[in-house]
Amino acid sequence: MIIHGLQKMTLVDYPGKVAAILFTGSCDFRCPFCQNASLVLDPSSEPEIPEEEIFSYLEKRKGMLEGVVMTGGEPTVHSDLLEYMDKIKNLGYSVKLDTNGYRPDVLKKAVLGGYADYVAMDVKNSLSKYAQTAGIKHLFTPLIEESISFLKEGHVPYEFRTTVVHELHSDEDFDSIGKMCEGAERFYLQTFSNKGDIIEEGLTPPSPDDMERYIMILRKYIKNVSLRDR
């Protein structure tokens, strides 16, 4: 499996654990607000980190690090994802999987096979605006609903999260998102911020008042809703 980035330590990306982050390339979405545009659009232009280097680092940091986050890009587009996660697990690490939920078959195998100990799924928008927000024309939304329903069964700790963009989200959208994810363990809202490596320019963050209102809308359906700004 090709890894294009290694963040050697994070205290915020894996709840309750000190972790490293591994960045895969490629994605089946083209979200206009994506902060890793180069990994999505042209992963071959990004440096590759040899597997030996990654596992040597993880071996040396056992006891200091507790977990590893698999993110991207979209990890589930890679056929050898589960094998790679298994190697990490065999070192004694917990593994968190970040996913857009568009491949529920891979998500289920990762969870039910014991490869993923925690899942963070991005919920892009209400179903009526999902294709627009994901940046692809022919999006089959039942796959998104399948992943949401599966995670809500509680096989593994999980979270849903939405990056909020002024031009893409509204009160009505968050009411629909709340209904779709009703009863979820936890939901985080993240304010969009243009940090440079973005797919589409011209997007802006919502106001603090908007964010607070969206949180209150979601809390009608989900008990634990919080703001997570990065």
Side-chain angles (χ1 to χ4, degrees), residues 31-207:
C31 305
F33 53 89
C34 178
Q35 297 286 345
N36 292 321
S38 55
L39 283 177
V40 169
L41 301 177
D42 188 16
S44 63
S45 68
E46 295 296 300
E48 298 179 12
I49 303 177
E51 183 172 317
E52 313 83 68
E53 181 179 331
I54 291 170
F55 282 91
S56 174
Y57 175 76
L58 294 177
E59 183 71 43
K60 292 175 182 176
R61 293 302 184 271
K62 286 197 295 186
M64 291 177 279
L65 294 176
E66 304 165 285
V68 176
V69 179
M70 298 296 302
T71 191
E74 171 55 41
T76 63
V77 302
H78 298 282
S79 60
D80 53 351
L81 171 66
L82 301 185
E83 178 184 350
Y84 202 90
M85 292 170 72
D86 190 45
K87 290 180 181 179
I88 297 171
K89 294 278 292 182
N90 286 336
L91 289 178
Y93 287 101
S94 295
V95 179
K96 172 176 176 272
L97 175 64
D98 290 351
T99 182
N100 60 25
Y102 202 50
R103 299 203 172 192
D105 56 332
V106 179
L107 173 61
K108 290 176 182 179
K109 289 177 182 177
V111 170
L112 298 178
Y115 304 104
D117 301 286
Y118 190 101
V119 175
M121 177 179 163
D122 293 311
V123 177
K124 303 298 182 179
N125 210 332
S126 60
L127 293 181
S128 64
K129 290 167 67 175
Y130 224 96
Q132 174 192 1
T133 311
I136 56 175
K137 291 182 179 180
H138 305 293
L139 186 144
F140 189 59
T141 56
L143 294 176
I144 300 297
E145 295 177 284
E146 184 178 346
S147 289
I148 290 173
S149 295
F150 171 71
L151 289 175
K152 285 168 59 178
E153 291 173 4
H155 301 283
V156 70
Y158 69 93
E159 67 184 56
F160 296 126
R161 59 192 188 186
T162 298
T163 298
V164 188
V165 183
H166 173 68
E167 289 78 9
L168 295 175
H169 295 98
S170 67
D171 289 20
E172 292 75 19
D173 292 322
F174 279 102
D175 193 69
S176 295
I177 291 170
K179 291 175 181 176
M180 182 165 56
C181 299
E182 186 170 7
E185 286 184 2
R186 59 189 66 84
F187 204 114
Y188 292 100
L189 294 186
Q190 302 172 166
T191 303
F192 165 73
S193 175
N194 186 346
K195 297 177 181 177
D197 189 17
I198 194 167
I199 288 182
E200 183 177 313
E201 295 293 341
L203 301 175
T204 58
S207 70

